[in-house]
């Protein structure tokens, strides 16, 4: 039987379309996530970034890989229902933590999150993976937008640097150019969300987000998890997150001391 927060239809939608809304996944953890985001913004980690060019209005802050130093994040990751739900969505016996990520758009930040796929930036191979994108503020206009089915496209989408808008790796011919889903009439899934709801999406899905023109902040916590078939794969340049000194080789299982198993059937 699926987890109580899921239906069989949710699992089938995730497998087919690569994206599904999970109502209330983090509903009991919203205050703790808000606390973790506040700590993270007060003391950013080494990967923190401000994602606006000079002259652009507002603030778009993100940071990742902080669960080991921010106890609030670790409690959510280890004790919420996220890992058990992920196992069902991925059809996986085990769930490993890949990393955590926060994204904050202050009011009046008109800049959208560019269209991109996460998978090409990562050093993981395998189809059993899921990202949860969970706002801790009500979201109406600044929600995540995902192109249904794009995780199954024959070529991955070219990874680029958000500010410089240059390609991330030298082998551009192995990727398809970043499309414009709005002008090309693609099937874009976009949800109005309450604090604690979560969009679940495959690492390889094309996604972005609108700017935040609302009067309130848009704080989101994202959790990246992998399943049984996750293996290390070499990329032609630095990955994001970089995880320097990991010592893994092509085809290795992700080392569990760095990427702990947080759920096992």
């Amino acid at each position: 039987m699926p987890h109580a927060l899921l239906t069989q239809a949710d699992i089938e939608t995730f497998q087919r379309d690569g994206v599904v809304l999970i109502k209330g996944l983090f509903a009991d953890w919203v205050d703790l996530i808000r606390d973790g985001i506040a700590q993270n913004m007060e003391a950013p980690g080494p990967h923190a970034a401000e994602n606006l060019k000079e002259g652009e209005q507002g603030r778009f802050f993100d940071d990742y890989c902080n669960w080991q130093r921010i106890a609030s994040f670790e409690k959510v990751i280890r004790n919420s229902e996220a890992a058990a739900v992920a196992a069902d969505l991925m059809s996986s016996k085990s769930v490993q933590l890949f990393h955590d990520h926060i994204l904050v758009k202050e009011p009046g930040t008109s800049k959208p999150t560019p269209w991109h796929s996460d998978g090409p930036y990562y050093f993981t191979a395998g189809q059993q993976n899921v990202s949860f994108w969970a706002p801790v503020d009500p979201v109406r206009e600044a929600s995540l937008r995902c192109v249904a089915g794009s995780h199954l496209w024959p070529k991955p989408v070219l990874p680029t640097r958000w500010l410089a808008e240059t390609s991330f790796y030298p082998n551009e011919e192995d990727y398809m150019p970043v499309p414009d889903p709005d002008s090309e009439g693609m099937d874009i899934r976009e949800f109005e969300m309450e604090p604690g709801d979560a969009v679940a999406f495959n690492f390889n899905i094309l996604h972005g987000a609108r700017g935040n023109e609302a009067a309130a902040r848009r704080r989101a916590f994202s959790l990246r998890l992998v399943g049984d078939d996750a293996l290390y794969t070499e990329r032609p340049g630095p990955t994001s997150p970089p995880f320097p000194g990991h010592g893994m080789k092509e085809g290795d299982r992700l080392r569990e001391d760095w990427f702990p198993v947080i759920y096992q059937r």
Side-chain angles (χ1 to χ4, degrees), residues 105-106 108-113 141-143 209-214 218:
K105 287 187 179 178
E106 300 289 1
T109 305
S110 59
K111 181 172 182 172
T113 304
E141 302 296 335
S143 186
R210 299 186 191 276
N212 182 22
E213 302 283 7
R218 193 223 66 184

Side-chain angles (χ1 to χ4, degrees), residues 66-79:
N66 289 295
W67 67 272
Q68 289 171 301
R69 69 184 188 92
I70 297 179
S72 298
F73 290 161
E74 183 170 12
K75 288 177 183 176
V76 172
I77 291 165
R78 292 192 181 276
N79 299 311

Side-chain angles (χ1 to χ4, degrees), residues 17-32:
D17 298 339
V19 56
V20 69
L21 176 66
I22 311 297
K23 296 291 292 182
L25 178 60
F26 295 102
D28 295 334
W29 304 90
V30 170
D31 288 341
L32 201 59

Side-chain angles (χ1 to χ4, degrees), residues 37-218:
I37 290 174
Q39 292 181 52
N40 200 159
M41 296 186 75
E42 288 170 8
H47 306 300
E50 300 286 351
N51 295 292
L52 298 182
K53 295 178 181 178
E54 186 175 351
E56 292 179 323
Q57 298 300 308
R59 186 185 186 193
F60 179 10
F61 172 89
D62 83 296
D63 198 1
Y64 49 66
C65 301
N66 289 295
W67 67 272
Q68 289 171 301
R69 69 184 188 92
I70 297 179
S72 298
F73 290 161
E74 183 170 12
K75 288 177 183 176
V76 172
I77 291 165
R78 292 192 181 276
N79 299 311
S80 73
E81 296 301 307
V85 168
D88 280 352
L89 291 173
M90 297 187 294
S91 299
S92 179
K93 293 179 181 178
S94 65
V95 177
Q96 275 181 277
L97 170 62
F98 189 39
H99 69 280
D100 58 284
H101 192 181
I102 68 164
L103 304 104
V104 179
K105 287 187 179 178
E106 300 289 1
T109 305
S110 59
K111 181 172 182 172
T113 304
W115 289 106
H116 66 287
S117 297
D118 293 335
Y121 296 85
Y122 298 164
F123 57 43
T124 60
Q127 279 298 312
Q128 288 173 300
N129 61 69
V130 62
S131 286
F132 292 118
W133 186 92
V136 293
D137 305 292
V139 172
R140 300 295 178 264
E141 302 296 335
S143 186
L144 193 71
R145 312 178 76 209
C146 296
V147 176
S150 55
H151 64 306
L152 300 176
W153 286 348
K155 270 191 171 186
V157 175
L158 180 70
T160 61
R161 296 174 179 86
W162 284 6
L163 284 184
E165 298 178 356
T166 55
S167 59
F168 207 74
Y169 300 133
N171 57 329
E172 289 192 25
E173 67 280 358
D174 293 337
Y175 302 91
M176 63 177 288
V178 181
D180 183 345
D182 289 297
S183 67
E184 296 178 39
M186 294 180 177
D187 182 2
I188 301 172
R189 306 288 169 86
E190 187 172 9
F191 310 96
E192 291 190 354
M193 302 174 69
E194 299 301 326
D197 292 347
V199 177
F201 62 98
N202 185 280
F203 284 2
N204 291 313
I205 208 163
L206 183 68
H207 63 286
R210 299 186 191 276
N212 182 22
E213 302 283 7
R217 313 173 83 187
R218 193 223 66 184

